[in-house]
Amino acid sequence: MADWIYAVILGLVEGLTEFIPVSSTGHLLLTKTLLGLPDGFWDTFSVMIQLGAILAVVVLYFQRLWDVFLRLPSDPKARWFAASVVIAVIPSAVVGFALHDFIKTVLFESAGLICVSLVLGGIALIAVDRWAPAPKETDSMALSWKRTLGIGLCQCLSIVPGVSRSGATIVGGVLLGIDRRAAAEFSFFMAIPTMVGAFALDFWENKDVLTGDNLGIIAVGFVVSFISGLIVVRTMLDFINRFGLTPYGWWRIAVGVVGLVAIQIAA
């Protein structure tokens, strides 16, 4: 199978899973394993194309984000929103930078760990849907600093493949008393600096292996990730409002169990 077909498949997986609480990294690594793709370039590819999905958030929320940027010098609310995003991303930025090599060389290599994380995360989503406290905050751009810091600490759990960055932040937000829609929106906003930072770090560390041919393959995955990400971001908030987090929980459990069975059969 041609590399560009692999790029399309992985781009679709990334765009469709980045913003829903099912773990895009876990799905990408399992897909890569299923396709028989080697480590190295394809691991870097999986990080690079995440920027395409993040661009989807920037495009869809551009007007709101641009308004905040213009009001930063004069509006305390705009400055607080910007500060809240910074507060939320600092914990995972510190942990991710400090443990980057361990994450890439150890955690990313364990398909069993990914599957177990998917199952446990699925159970957590179902439990949160049933027993979450009543929401006290509904505005994703005016959250208290304690809640934003709490969400940021929850995001640190996502260094483990299969946990899900969006899952950790949305669940953390809901448990801290934030409305599901607002928690999902804030997760979108946090994704922008978080994933741009991950992209920049991985690009710098792997710049020597990114040849002209490889860049073309990455471009294919980037575009596919962007388009599919647009579709998901446009529809996810309404879906969560209507059906909650439980459908994502059952999906995670199903994928995790199938993966564990496949691992046992292949052993």
Side-chain angles (χ1 to χ4, degrees):
M1 191 180 296
D3 284 348
W4 70 267
I5 298 179
Y6 294 135
V8 169
I9 294 172
L10 293 175
L12 278 172
V13 172
E14 164 59 26
L16 294 175
T17 60
E18 177 61 47
F19 302 108
I20 61 176
V22 299
S23 178
S24 61
T25 300
H27 278 70
L28 281 170
L29 291 175
L30 290 177
T31 302
K32 182 176 77 71
T33 301
L34 182 65
L35 294 174
L37 298 177
D39 297 333
F41 167 73
W42 289 106
D43 290 327
T44 300
F45 172 91
S46 297
V47 175
M48 295 285 149
I49 63 172
Q50 289 176 339
L51 196 61
I54 298 307
L55 183 60
V57 172
V58 174
V59 169
L60 291 176
Y61 283 91
F62 178 79
Q63 191 58 56
R64 287 173 65 178
L65 295 173
W66 183 246
D67 287 344
V68 167
F69 177 76
L70 294 178
R71 290 187 286 109
L72 281 176
S74 60
D75 188 348
K77 291 183 178 179
R79 290 196 293 271
W80 174 246
F81 169 67
S84 69
V85 174
V86 173
I87 291 171
V89 301
I90 285 176
S92 61
V94 172
V95 172
F97 183 80
L99 300 179
H100 180 263
D101 290 342
F102 174 75
I103 295 168
K104 291 296 293 290
T105 58
V106 178
L107 296 183
F108 273 37
E109 300 301 319
S110 176
L113 174 63
I114 294 170
C115 293
V116 171
S117 297
L118 285 170
V119 172
L120 294 178
I123 295 171
L125 289 179
I126 295 171
V128 166
D129 241 6
R130 293 188 179 183
W131 296 297
K136 297 179 180 178
E137 295 197 44
T138 59
D139 186 351
S140 62
M141 303 185 82
L143 302 178
S144 67
W145 72 267
K146 291 182 179 179
R147 288 190 170 93
T148 56
L149 178 59
I151 294 172
L153 292 173
C154 289
Q155 183 171 240
C156 293
L157 297 174
S158 65
I159 67 168
V160 179
V163 168
S164 170
R165 185 203 60 78
S166 59
T169 52
I170 293 172
V171 167
V174 170
L175 290 177
L176 289 168
I178 302 171
D179 172 74
R180 285 184 306 206
R181 185 184 184 94
E185 275 198 336
F186 193 71
S187 177
F188 292 166
F189 297 139
M190 288 177 64
I192 298 173
T194 299
M195 300 316 302
V196 168
F199 172 89
L201 180 60
D202 220 68
F203 179 84
W204 177 256
E205 291 194 346
N206 295 279
K207 59 184 183 298
D208 294 337
V209 302
L210 298 177
T211 64
D213 291 340
N214 289 340
L215 291 177
I217 296 170
I218 291 174
V220 171
F222 182 97
V223 172
V224 174
S225 173
F226 169 72
I227 295 172
S228 52
L230 277 176
I231 296 170
V232 171
V233 175
R234 283 183 180 274
T235 58
M236 178 186 168
L237 297 180
D238 289 337
F239 185 90
I240 284 183
N241 269 348
R242 184 175 180 183
F243 300 105
L245 300 171
T246 297
Y248 299 118
W250 286 117
W251 172 261
R252 291 177 61 109
I253 292 171
V255 172
V257 169
V258 170
L260 288 172
V261 171
I263 290 172
Q264 291 302 314
I265 293 174

